[in-house]
Amino acid sequence: MRKAQKQQVEELVLQMQEAQDQIKKYIEQQNIPYAMQLLEDCQNGAITIGTLIEKTEGEAHPAVVLLEEYCELVYQIHEGLGNHKDNNTNEAKIYKLLKQKLTKVTNSIHNDIRIRKEAVFLPYKASMWDSLESVWKTAEADPDCDAYVIPIPYYDKNPDGTFREMHYEGDQYPDYVPITKYDAFDFEQHHPDMIYIHNPYDNSNFVTSVPPFFFSSNLKKYTEKLIYIPYFVLSEIKPDEDERIEGMKHFCTVPAVYNADKVIVQSEDMRKVYIKVLLETSNDKSKAVRKYWEDKILGLGSPKFDKVANTKREDITVPEEWLRIIEKPDGSWKKIIFYNTSVGALLQHNEKMIAKMEYVFRVFQENQEDVALLWRPHPLIQATIESMRPQLWTEYDRLVRKYREEGWGIYDDTADLDRAVEISDAYYGDGSSVVQLYQKTGKPIMMQNVEIVE
């Protein structure tokens, strides 16, 4: 039974206790019709409680049996009052019987009904599910918690901010993750104890947007606790590295950080950075404000790190079309290079970045007998370039088509980032949160320099 439902039951029991006190007074005053009416109210209350307990705990629950006995007692007392002629009714005995029976009901409700929590997870891009998965697994394993994974749709945005194409990726999650459709879950009726989100932007993202209903500013109305976990991880920063903090402080001031009840970040140092930025932004460093942010921001680590640590090569299924590129004639594997291209690099370097990528592809194509290239572009590149650099989209799209048609390298646009991290032997590409994840593997990392092109 949910916490709110148990509170509702307890409130009804309290009302019945108060009614019983009044019944005793009415009988003492020989006001039998009023006493009989209150007995009917007590019986209706018991039926309401019993129905709710049956629905959540089952018909055989001890409290249901006791409520049935209570209803039978109330009926007998009601009949006795109605048939009594001399008005010489023993109100003390009636009150004692009612009180004893209702006390047993109260004890059973308190001891035999366990409160169940409800946790809702609202990912929007399947490729970012790893930022929530380990938390979901913990909730799913809790026998007293009902965990729902509800992928929500998102829209590409036009340059003027209007919504364009809608995307829904509910069919791209691992088979072991049960999916609930976003339009089949009544948030107001459920009012979950916790809602977890990884999209922090509300209406402040220029490239994509979730529907306004799923903005953090709105979701906080439908839960006891809204929890934001970033979909990314950043390079670790010390709280005294002011120059580096300047380049990432915008991550600390997104709408979800302000609207959430709790914010979980990747480390204790990052927690201190968030608090420092938020205090500076508010221009209020009082003890009360500092305590507010210290209580809200938690440096518990990123689930993305958990996913990398728990993903093993023997558990991974490699697609046949990938194996045709990876395997040598003798069945051994070539060295696999994870090539990561980011949104930021394309926006910064434009056509120069296109030229750099063409150069990279040419080098790896010439060495394809020994090395397999696994290209995994950032999942929001298309939406971003179409919205913010539409003139660049034609060239980028041409490059993607050429690479895929030639078929000598792997193009990975799936939601499974961790498969690419695990099967590859080294990382090459742009700076991004993937670098922070890849560092956890201990494998080589080489950063791409757009200026080096032959």
Side-chain angles (χ1 to χ4, degrees):
M1 180 177 286
R2 299 288 309 288
K3 181 179 179 180
Q5 293 172 321
K6 191 169 183 179
Q7 288 176 340
Q8 179 185 355
V9 166
E10 291 169 342
E11 288 171 3
L12 283 171
V13 170
L14 183 60
Q15 291 172 16
M16 291 164 62
Q17 290 171 345
E18 293 172 350
Q20 289 178 175
D21 293 340
Q22 190 61 44
I23 288 169
K24 182 174 183 290
K25 292 178 181 178
Y26 281 148
I27 295 175
E28 289 173 347
Q29 299 166 1
Q30 296 297 308
N31 198 340
I32 303 303
Y34 279 27
M36 293 174 69
Q37 181 59 55
L38 280 182
L39 283 167
E40 292 173 14
D41 292 343
C42 286
Q43 188 167 50
N44 289 334
I47 292 171
T48 299
I49 294 171
T51 301
L52 182 56
I53 295 175
E54 282 184 357
K55 188 183 298 183
T56 59
E57 308 296 314
E59 296 180 1
H61 193 274
V64 174
V65 177
L66 290 169
L67 283 162
E68 291 172 350
E69 294 176 0
Y70 177 84
C71 285
E72 178 61 27
L73 175 63
V74 169
Y75 172 77
Q76 292 173 3
I77 293 172
H78 187 278
E79 289 296 295
L81 288 176
N83 295 328
H84 199 70
K85 303 299 183 182
D86 58 8
N87 291 331
N88 186 20
T89 304
N90 189 336
E91 70 278 356
K93 182 179 180 181
I94 289 173
Y95 179 73
K96 183 178 180 180
L97 290 171
L98 289 172
K99 184 176 181 180
Q100 287 176 341
K101 190 64 71 175
L102 190 58
T103 297
K104 290 183 179 180
V105 171
T106 303
N107 291 339
S108 179
I109 290 170
H110 178 74
N111 298 322
D112 301 328
I113 296 180
R114 297 165 67 180
I115 293 178
R116 296 189 62 79
K117 301 184 292 292
E118 193 168 274
V120 168
F121 297 81
L122 298 180
Y124 76 110
K125 284 198 68 66
S127 60
M128 299 172 180
W129 168 238
D130 60 351
S131 64
L132 297 175
E133 184 176 273
S134 63
V135 182
W136 165 75
K137 283 184 174 181
T138 301
E140 181 75 2
D142 185 346
D144 293 326
C145 181
D146 297 319
Y148 296 86
V149 178
I150 308 178
I152 58 179
Y154 66 95
Y155 295 89
D156 296 331
K157 295 176 79 171
N158 294 309
D160 64 358
T162 56
F163 287 179
R164 194 168 70 241
E165 182 182 1
M166 188 189 90
H167 304 274
Y168 174 71
E169 300 182 358
D171 59 344
Q172 298 181 30
Y173 289 74
D175 293 339
Y176 54 80
V177 180
I179 298 300
T180 300
K181 281 295 295 293
Y182 64 92
D183 53 1
F185 187 88
D186 190 327
F187 283 82
E188 184 171 9
Q189 181 179 357
H190 279 260
H191 199 85
D193 299 274
M194 298 157 284
I195 293 179
Y196 291 87
I197 59 173
H198 63 191
N199 174 28
Y201 299 113
D202 287 8
N203 62 348
S204 64
N205 190 333
F206 297 117
V207 178
T208 62
S209 176
V210 298
F213 178 85
F214 295 106
F215 287 176
S216 60
S217 57
N218 187 58
L219 287 173
K220 62 191 297 186
K221 299 185 297 189
Y222 296 98
T223 182
E224 296 299 308
K225 187 174 292 185
L226 182 64
I227 303 169
Y228 163 55
I229 304 177
Y231 66 84
F232 51 83
V233 289
L234 303 171
S235 298
E236 281 297 326
I237 303 175
K238 297 292 184 183
D240 58 354
E241 295 181 282
D242 292 336
E243 187 173 336
R244 294 186 64 203
I245 290 174
E246 191 64 30
M248 58 73 65
K249 64 193 316 180
H250 58 284
F251 290 113
C252 307
T253 55
V254 289
V257 170
Y258 291 102
N259 293 325
D261 296 291
K262 297 293 180 182
V263 177
I264 298 176
V265 297
Q266 67 195 58
S267 67
E268 184 59 27
D269 276 342
M270 195 60 70
R271 170 180 178 264
K272 292 175 181 176
V273 169
Y274 266 70
I275 293 169
K276 179 177 181 177
V277 171
L278 290 162
L279 287 172
E280 290 174 351
T281 303
S282 67
N283 291 319
D284 186 346
K285 298 182 181 180
S286 64
K287 287 185 178 179
V289 174
R290 175 175 287 277
K291 186 176 187 310
Y292 171 79
W293 290 117
E294 287 177 344
D295 290 344
K296 175 185 275 200
I297 312 295
L298 307 176
L300 302 179
S302 172
K304 295 175 78 70
F305 294 145
D306 299 334
K307 180 67 173 177
V308 168
N310 295 327
T311 300
K312 306 301 180 187
R313 183 171 291 197
E314 57 268 23
D315 299 328
I316 291 173
T317 300
V318 180
E320 284 295 328
E321 59 269 26
W322 289 19
L323 288 174
R324 286 195 293 270
I325 297 168
I326 293 170
E327 288 185 340
K328 295 180 179 181
D330 63 1
S332 63
W333 280 22
K334 305 171 186 175
K335 292 295 182 182
I336 303 172
I337 306 301
F338 182 156
Y339 182 44
N340 177 50
T341 53
S342 69
V343 174
L346 267 170
L347 291 178
Q348 180 180 356
H349 300 294
N350 299 291
E351 286 79 6
K352 183 181 283 190
M353 187 66 202
I354 298 291
K356 173 65 177 182
M357 292 165 65
E358 288 180 316
Y359 165 66
V360 170
F361 294 152
R362 186 165 66 251
V363 171
F364 278 95
Q365 185 176 16
E366 291 171 355
N367 292 275
Q368 62 182 286
E369 297 302 318
D370 301 307
V371 181
L373 186 68
L374 192 162
W375 179 27
R376 186 179 172 87
H378 190 284
L380 290 178
I381 280 183
Q382 178 176 346
T384 304
I385 300 303
E386 284 185 322
S387 176
M388 302 181 68
R389 298 284 194 281
Q391 74 281 1
L392 191 64
W393 171 246
T394 301
E395 280 300 297
Y396 180 81
D397 186 49
R398 176 192 61 78
L399 187 64
V400 172
R401 290 175 184 274
K402 182 174 183 292
Y403 177 84
R404 301 187 72 170
E405 288 169 1
E406 289 176 347
W408 56 265
I410 298 168
Y411 182 80
D412 183 9
D413 61 352
T414 68
D416 195 351
L417 164 66
D418 301 281
R419 174 175 58 187
V421 171
E422 182 59 31
I423 70 169
S424 59
D425 297 287
Y427 174 98
Y428 175 61
D430 300 323
S432 78
S433 62
V434 180
V435 176
Q436 317 313 315
L437 296 178
Y438 213 90
Q439 285 178 334
K440 298 294 181 180
T441 69
K443 292 184 283 193
I445 295 172
M446 182 175 180
M447 306 309 296
Q448 179 168 244
N449 184 342
V450 72
E451 301 298 336
I452 300 178
V453 177
E454 289 183 3

